[in-house]
Amino acid sequence: MIIKIGPSPSLEKHLLIVENTEQELPTWRSTLAPFMTEEPDQLPPNATNSTDCGEDVLLYGDTEKVVIGTVLSVITLLTIAGNGLVIISVCVVKKLRQPSNYLVVSLAAADLSVALAVMPFVIITDLVGGKWLFGEVFCNVFIAMDVMCCTASIMTLCVISVDRYLGITRPLTYPVRQDGKLMAKMVFVVWLLSASITLPPLFGWAKNVTVERMCLISQDFGYTIYSTGVAFYIPMTVMLVMYNRIYKAAKASAEKHRFMDFPRSYEQDGPYCIEAGGCGQYGTKRSKAAEECATLSKLLRRDRKNISIFKREQKAARTLGIIVGAFTFCWLPFFLMSTARPFICGSRCSCLPLRLERTLLWLGYTNSLINPLIYALFNRDLRTTFWNLLHCSYRNINRRLSAASMHEALKATEKHECIL
C-alpha cells in the first residue's frame, strides 16, 4: 500500500529559508572583512571586475604593466631629481641663501616628499589594478602623507605669489621686512595648515574608506568641502588675484615706459647710440639727433629706478603666469572630480571609473615635476647651478656665479652709459 504524503507546512517553510539563504550568499561574501586574503577567480587581461562599491579593478596585461610602470617611474625619478637639485642648490650656493628662497625650498621639500612617500605606493596600486595591498592602518598613514604634502605644495605656491606681489608693489619697504625669521614663520604656517587637513580622518570626524582592498580618502560631505576648499580652491583664488594685480601693474608700467622705443623711428636718418659700442656713428640730421638724445638722457636719469621696477614687474608677471597656468592645468580636473564624487556616489565609496581617477591623480602629481623646471627656467642663478651640478662642476660655484653677476653688471653699466 502506497501512502501519499503531501509536504507539511513546516517543511515548506524550512525549504524557503534555505533557498533565501542561498540567494543571499553572494551578498554576504561581498561584505567580508576589509582586506580579505581570498583571491577572485582568474580573469583575462584587461578585464574589469566591479566590487560592491562600484570601484573598477583593472587587470592589465604584461605589456601594459611594463609601459605604465616605466612611465610612472620616470615621472617619479625626475620629480626626485629636480626637487633634490633645488634643495641642494640653495644649500650650497651662498647667493641663493636668501629669505625669499625659503619658500622655494619649502615647495621643493613638499614635492620631494610626494615623490618619495606617495608616488611609489600609488605606482604599485596602479600596477595591481587599483587594489590596496598595504593594510588598513598604513592606508590612513598614506592618505595623511598624500594630503599633507600635496596641500603644502599648493599652499606654498600661493604664498610665493603673495610674496612676489608684495615685492613688486612695495619695493622699498617689503624687502626690509622680509627677513629669515618671517619667512620661516610663513613656511611653518603653511605646513601647519596642511597638517590640519589630515587630522580629521585620524580623529574620527570623517573616516577614510577602507573596504575590500580599497584605500580612499573620506567621502564625508562636510569634510570634502572643507579639505578641497582649504587645499585648492582658496589658494587658487589667491594666486589668480595676485597674478591679475601683477599683470595690471606690469601693463601700466609698459604703457608708462613706451618712451624707450621712440628713437627707433629715426633709424633711417641715422642710428642712435642705444647699444654699447655704437656711440661713434652719426646720422644725416646730427642736430636733431643730439636734441633727441639729450631728451632721452633726461628721461632716463629721472626714471632709472622706475625702469628697474618695470623689468621686475614684467619678469614676475611672466613667471607667475606660467606657474599659475601649470598649477591650474594639473590640479583643477582632479579637485573638480574630488568635490563632485561624494555628491554623485554617496559617502561610502567611489563609483567613478578607476581609469579616470588614476589619470587625474597623476596629472596632479605631475605638477611636482613641473615646479622645479619653471624656477630653473626663470632663475638664472638656479639654472647655472643646476648645469654645474649635473656636470659635476660643483667646485667654485659661488665664485663663478659672482663673476657672472659682476660681468652682467658691468655690461649693463656700459650699455646705460652709452645711452646717456
Side-chain angles (χ1 to χ4, degrees):
M1 183 176 69
I2 300 175
I3 301 175
K4 188 176 181 180
I5 302 177
S8 62
S10 61
L11 181 61
E12 291 180 353
K13 182 177 181 180
H14 178 71
L15 293 175
L16 182 61
I17 292 174
V18 172
E19 183 178 0
N20 292 335
T21 304
E22 292 178 352
Q23 292 178 355
E24 295 176 356
L25 184 59
T27 304
W28 174 79
R29 286 179 179 176
S30 65
T31 57
L32 289 173
F35 309 109
M36 60 184 181
T37 58
E38 294 183 0
E39 295 290 340
D41 296 336
Q42 186 67 25
L43 293 176
N46 298 326
T48 301
N49 182 21
S50 297
T51 65
D52 185 54
C53 276
E55 181 84 4
D56 294 336
V57 177
L58 303 175
L59 300 179
Y60 299 110
D62 294 337
T63 304
E64 288 181 313
K65 287 183 179 180
V66 171
V67 174
I68 294 174
T70 302
V71 173
L72 299 184
S73 298
V74 168
I75 294 175
T76 303
L77 293 176
L78 290 178
T79 304
I80 295 173
N83 292 283
L85 282 175
V86 171
I87 297 176
I88 295 174
S89 299
V90 177
C91 293
V92 170
V93 179
K94 294 181 180 179
K95 189 177 180 180
L96 296 176
R97 297 176 195 169
Q98 302 175 3
S100 60
N101 285 334
Y102 290 1
L103 295 174
V104 177
V105 173
S106 175
L107 176 64
D111 293 335
L112 183 62
S113 300
V114 172
L116 291 175
V118 177
M119 290 185 183
F121 299 100
V122 180
I123 292 175
I124 296 174
T125 302
D126 289 344
L127 292 180
V128 297
K131 295 181 294 183
W132 180 255
L133 305 178
F134 304 100
E136 181 178 357
V137 175
F138 187 74
C139 172
N140 293 319
V141 177
F142 167 79
I143 291 178
M145 286 293 298
D146 187 9
V147 173
M148 183 176 67
C149 295
C150 292
T151 304
S153 176
I154 295 172
M155 285 189 173
T156 305
L157 287 173
C158 175
V159 176
I160 288 175
S161 67
V162 176
D163 176 73
R164 296 292 186 268
Y165 171 73
L166 294 177
I168 292 300
T169 57
R170 302 176 184 179
L172 299 179
T173 59
Y174 182 68
V176 177
R177 300 176 183 177
Q178 190 188 43
D179 57 357
K181 293 183 179 180
L182 176 61
M183 302 306 294
K185 291 179 181 178
M186 295 173 66
V187 171
F188 176 76
V189 171
V190 165
W191 284 91
L192 184 63
L193 289 175
S194 303
S196 67
I197 302 178
T198 66
L199 295 179
L202 300 178
F203 289 91
W205 173 26
K207 293 184 178 181
N208 298 318
V209 179
T210 55
V211 294
E212 292 192 13
R213 295 189 180 182
M214 184 188 302
C215 183
L216 183 65
I217 191 173
S218 173
Q219 299 298 292
D220 181 79
F221 298 106
Y223 176 74
T224 299
I225 295 175
Y226 163 72
S227 59
T228 55
V230 175
F232 177 75
Y233 292 110
I234 294 177
M236 183 185 69
T237 303
V238 173
M239 292 175 66
L240 291 175
V241 171
M242 294 297 102
Y243 172 69
N244 182 51
R245 293 187 177 183
I246 291 178
Y247 175 76
K248 287 182 178 179
K251 187 177 180 181
S253 296
E255 295 178 354
K256 182 179 179 181
H257 294 87
R258 282 183 179 177
F259 68 85
M260 295 184 66
D261 294 331
F262 84 89
R264 297 180 182 176
S265 60
Y266 297 96
E267 286 181 355
Q268 57 184 1
D269 297 330
Y272 287 78
C273 50
I274 301 300
E275 297 293 336
C279 299
Q281 300 180 18
Y282 297 90
T284 58
K285 298 180 180 180
R286 183 175 178 181
S287 59
K288 187 175 182 180
E291 181 181 354
E292 296 293 346
C293 278
T295 304
L296 178 61
S297 300
K298 293 179 181 179
L299 290 173
L300 289 176
R301 289 192 184 97
R302 185 182 63 185
D303 292 339
R304 185 182 303 174
K305 185 180 298 183
N306 292 333
I307 294 173
S308 177
I309 297 174
F310 163 70
K311 292 181 179 179
R312 289 204 307 268
E313 289 171 349
Q314 293 286 339
K315 184 177 180 181
R318 183 171 61 253
T319 305
L320 190 59
I322 296 177
I323 292 174
V324 173
F327 163 76
T328 305
F329 174 78
C330 291
W331 279 116
L332 182 59
F334 173 78
F335 277 96
L336 289 176
M337 178 198 68
S338 299
T339 306
R341 183 167 51 195
F343 299 94
I344 297 174
C345 307
S347 60
R348 293 185 58 187
C349 54
S350 175
C351 63
L352 300 179
L354 184 60
R355 290 182 184 273
L356 176 63
E357 291 189 1
R358 311 312 285 188
T359 301
L360 297 184
L361 177 63
W362 276 101
L363 181 62
Y365 287 159
T366 307
N367 187 242
S368 298
L369 169 63
I370 296 175
N371 288 331
L373 299 180
I374 295 175
Y375 283 100
L377 179 64
F378 288 97
N379 190 316
R380 181 185 56 82
D381 294 332
L382 197 59
R383 183 172 62 252
T384 304
T385 305
F386 277 16
W387 182 262
N388 290 327
L389 290 176
L390 291 175
H391 287 78
C392 298
S393 301
Y394 48 87
R395 293 183 180 181
N396 301 324
I397 294 180
N398 293 290
R399 185 179 301 176
R400 282 195 295 269
L401 287 178
S402 299
S405 300
M406 185 67 67
H407 177 72
E408 288 194 359
L410 291 174
K411 186 177 179 181
T413 302
E414 291 177 359
K415 183 176 180 180
H416 180 71
E417 289 178 352
C418 179
I419 294 176
L420 296 180

